[in-house]
Each structure stands twice: as structure tokens, then as C-alpha cells.
Amino acid sequence: MANPWRGEVSLVIDGRRHEARLTLGALAELEATLEADSLVALVERFESNRFSSRDVLALLLAGLRGGGAVMDAATLEHAQIEGGPMAAARAAAELLARAFTVQA
């Protein structure tokens, strides 16, 4: 599902595989989109299972853009994500976790 050395998470959207990663630019976009006090607050929302579908969509969209995909929010909102909403939420949480994992 993912490349742990590069912080990538694979997603199949509308039958096409995409690699998502949270680059610094993607993280900045995410902060602005979610109007989060900090990324730590966003991590805490996911760790305590207090995240919303808006959080999941914003994380996935930022990660997909960070991975090089050209996609807008409306496209992702109507897309078929392999594994459904639960797989999307797991992928979003994994993206966030990998963004803050120190790689040797």
C-alpha cells in the first residue's frame, strides 16, 4: 500500500493508482484549508478519532497534490476510492503519520 521510505501512501481512485505524500507545501495547504491551529492539533484529532470527513478529504487532496496528481476538491468528493470511506480515512491517517516519521 505504501512506500515507507518516502512517506507515500497508495490510493486507487476511479480505478487509477495514485501515490500521495505530504510535502511541506501540501502541509501548508492543509493547514490553511482546515484552518487548524497547528498540525499537531490535526494529528491529535486523528489519534483521538475526532476527525471529520472534511479532514479526510483535505488530507487526501493535499497528499495527492503533493504526490503530483492534478485534482480538485470537487473531483475527489465524487470519486470512487477503492475500499470506500474507511480505506480513505486509513490512508489519510497514514499520510499524516508518515509526514511526521523520521526516516533514517
Side-chain angles (χ1 to χ4, degrees), residues 5-75:
W5 300 109
R6 294 184 53 188
E8 295 174 343
V9 173
S10 295
L11 287 163
V12 177
I13 301 170
D14 291 334
R16 184 169 171 232
R17 181 169 298 283
H18 295 272
E19 298 300 325
R21 76 180 66 82
L22 289 176
T23 61
L24 188 55
L27 288 167
E29 174 187 335
L30 185 60
E31 264 184 324
T33 299
L34 293 178
E35 300 174 355
D37 294 335
S38 69
L39 289 174
V40 172
L42 185 58
V43 170
E44 288 172 349
R45 282 201 310 239
F46 270 82
E47 286 178 342
S48 63
N49 291 319
R50 292 183 294 116
F51 58 90
S52 67
S53 57
R54 180 176 177 238
D55 295 335
V56 171
L57 279 169
L59 264 162
L60 291 180
L61 186 58
L64 289 164
R65 288 180 178 163
V70 178
M71 189 175 298
D72 61 22
T75 300

